Amino acid sequence: MAGSGEDWLGDGLDVVGADCGLWVPGVDYMAGWRGARESADRLNRALLGAGFDLSEVRAVASTDESGRGLVRMAGWPGTVDRLAGLLESVAGRDGGAA
């Protein structure tokens, strides 16, 4: 990963239309990003509540080329493995229902 320390987690965070590289005139990227930002904030609060450090794993708001909101996860592999274990544990208790 480029950079040192935890700076890589900040790279590309909250970038509107970052995936396509081009801005399409007339596409409302901000509306999609705002919705994605609300969802990312909710997930980040849940991660904090579960004891995760947002410098190690976090939800990131963005949009696709059509302006639809996207939420991505960015994190260190070990922390993502810990999150996956937690989710697997919850899925096992609930019979796999989400």
Side-chain angles (χ1 to χ4, degrees):
M1 282 178 235
S4 62
E6 296 168 353
D7 294 338
W8 71 272
L9 279 173
D11 294 344
L13 293 181
D14 300 328
V15 176
V16 178
D19 296 328
C20 63
L22 298 173
W23 291 87
V24 178
V27 174
D28 185 4
Y29 294 101
M30 289 306 296
W33 178 84
R34 279 191 291 272
R37 179 62 187 219
E38 289 176 15
S39 295
D41 286 348
R42 180 179 180 199
L43 182 53
N44 284 328
R45 284 190 301 274
L47 288 167
L48 285 170
F52 288 90
D53 185 334
L54 295 184
S55 68
E56 296 177 358
V57 64
R58 69 179 301 134
V60 179
S62 187
T63 64
D64 68 5
E65 65 278 354
S66 66
R68 183 175 48 203
L70 295 172
V71 177
R72 300 177 189 279
M73 295 293 297
W76 296 107
T79 306
V80 172
D81 285 341
R82 191 173 129 225
L83 176 58
L86 176 65
L87 293 173
E88 289 166 349
S89 171
V90 170
R93 280 195 306 257
D94 294 342

